[in-house]
Amino acid sequence: GNELLIHHNTLTGVGEELVVIRGVPVKGAWIEHNSIPHASASGAIVQSHGSGNFNVSDNCFGTTEAICDAPP
């Protein structure tokens, strides 16, 4: 892909990868302002088959409540 924007979502699922970016996007991937039930990005948001142009910021972890705009 060229550019991936994943933002302002409420994700569900525990004990599994919720966002997986495969490969390296040309412009970049931005995963931000999402509500995620995992305690941290580790295990919830991953990049496989390469690394780079991968940005994770301003997500709320440990919740499936309404979408947040700032980290807890």
Side-chain angles (χ1 to χ4, degrees):
N2 189 41
E3 182 176 31
L4 302 163
L5 306 170
I6 300 171
H7 58 90
H8 294 92
N9 296 287
T10 300
L11 305 175
T12 60
V14 178
E16 59 188 287
E17 297 170 337
L18 300 177
V19 177
V20 179
I21 305 301
R22 291 176 177 87
V24 180
V26 174
K27 283 188 175 181
W30 290 268
I31 298 93
E32 55 192 27
H33 301 289
N34 298 290
S35 294
I36 300 170
H38 290 63
S40 70
S42 178
I45 303 170
V46 298
Q47 183 177 25
S48 64
H49 306 291
S51 63
N53 292 345
F54 181 71
N55 307 284
V56 178
S57 66
D58 298 325
N59 294 290
C60 292
F61 294 96
T63 185
T64 56
E65 295 300 316
I67 298 164
C68 66
D69 287 322

